Amino acid sequence: MIKLTIDGKVVEAEEGSTILDVADQAGIHIPTLCYHEALSAVGSCRVCAVEIVTNGKSELTTACTYPVEAGLEVRTNSEKVMEARKLAVELLLAQRPHSAKIQELVQKLGIEEPSFALKERECILCELCIRACREIVGADAITFVAQGKDRNVDGASVVHSVEKCIGCDSCAYICPTEAITVEDIDDTRIINTPSGKLEFKLKKCKVCGSYWAPEKQIEYIAKISGTSPEEYDICPDCRD
Ligand code: SF4
């Protein structure tokens, strides 16, 4: 265990854990948007900005990606931090002003007037959908259409691969701005993405007759689990 200071409070932590985790364990709340505990952290939204002081030098970093070290001094609510977080949220607000998640951050940070022109675009490039599809689902079906320094251009967004996508809807579930949504209509699942609609035929339960999961998703699960697709002829409700 190592010791560090967060907002003047000495805390103990496992070396290598992140500032976000250590602050959370110490009861200090740091807001996040692109972070999810089940996924790798990328710090792309910069909402979790904190100030660190090492060797007398202060700099801003993202709490979700920065591993703690002995003697580190962290400030989570300094003027510099609050300015950085407000700027990050104002930039997000300009892109997706009607997102409930962004509005929640706007309220928390006391932002009254947006400093940037509102544009209402769908994807805020948080990468949550990309990481969920790659790290949880294993399909790796989503990529950026613009990479590197071009990521912030107006046309940047995500693209779903028709071949790889199995229609599981994990990306719609995790998207914080509803840039990706799902709807099941009769025997069809529709995933609405920034690059268009994807349609999947749903499997009908042999017992109750309800449509319960995309056939492509069932084939995928059967393949990676080494089971037969026929084992999924009955929906989970009728199996119990
Ligand atoms: S619906 Fe498609 S793109 Fe979205 S998480 Fe599932 S497999 Fe990935």
Side-chain angles (χ1 to χ4, degrees):
M1 298 290 269
I2 54 153
K3 285 188 180 171
L4 64 147
T5 311
I6 305 183
D7 296 340
K9 185 176 166 185
V10 176
V11 294
E12 285 200 337
E14 295 269 357
E15 188 159 15
S17 45
T18 64
I19 292 174
L20 185 67
D21 285 341
V22 178
D24 187 51
Q25 284 155 20
I28 297 166
H29 175 70
I30 296 174
T32 60
L33 186 135
C34 75
Y35 173 79
H36 191 287
E37 61 205 10
L39 303 172
S40 59
V42 293
S44 62
C45 72
R46 308 200 69 79
V47 170
C48 69
V50 290
E51 189 179 354
I52 53 168
V53 184
T54 42
N55 301 322
K57 281 176 75 182
S58 147
E59 62 176 307
L60 288 169
T61 189
T62 45
C64 71
T65 55
Y66 198 93
V68 294
E69 62 212 42
L72 184 69
E73 184 187 336
V74 182
R75 297 171 187 159
T76 73
N77 55 14
S78 64
E79 200 176 316
K80 200 170 172 179
V81 167
M82 299 319 286
E83 272 176 21
R85 281 190 199 154
K86 278 188 179 174
L87 177 63
V89 173
E90 286 189 22
L91 287 167
L92 292 166
L93 180 68
Q95 296 173 68
R96 198 66 167 150
H98 299 108
S99 155
K101 177 72 187 174
I102 293 172
Q103 283 298 334
E104 193 186 309
L105 289 166
V106 165
Q107 300 298 322
K108 262 189 199 161
L109 294 176
I111 296 169
E112 287 167 7
E113 287 289 323
S115 309
F116 305 98
L118 305 182
K119 323 183 197 173
E120 191 65 75
R121 47 176 289 166
E122 293 180 317
C123 177
I124 57 166
L125 308 178
C126 69
E127 304 181 34
L128 276 166
C129 61
I130 293 177
R131 285 175 281 148
C133 186
R134 181 182 300 146
E135 297 170 21
I136 305 282
V137 183
D140 202 7
I142 313 175
T143 48
F144 279 119
V145 286
Q147 301 280 359
K149 64 181 172 52
D150 292 333
R151 264 186 51 188
N152 289 324
V153 299
D154 284 349
S157 187
V158 292
V159 172
H160 284 58
S161 158
V162 179
E163 290 76 32
K164 290 183 176 177
C165 179
I166 57 170
C168 70
D169 97 349
S170 301
C171 52
Y173 174 79
I174 207 162
C175 177
T177 60
E178 295 176 343
I180 306 169
T181 57
V182 61
E183 47 187 339
D184 288 350
I185 302 172
D186 300 327
D187 65 348
T188 305
R189 168 163 295 177
I190 301 164
I191 307 277
N192 299 298
T193 83
S195 56
K197 287 179 195 287
L198 280 81
E199 293 194 5
F200 300 86
K201 192 166 181 343
L202 291 166
K203 179 116 178 155
K204 190 177 189 176
C205 173
K206 279 197 169 165
V207 175
C208 68
S210 63
Y211 293 101
W212 66 279
E215 289 180 346
K216 195 172 174 187
Q217 183 182 3
I218 290 170
E219 282 162 21
Y220 177 80
I221 292 168
K223 190 175 168 193
I224 61 171
S225 64
T227 50
S228 156
E230 284 73 50
E231 288 184 37
Y232 303 88
D233 282 348
I234 298 171
C235 75
D237 289 344
C238 293
R239 262 179 252 153
D240 295 337

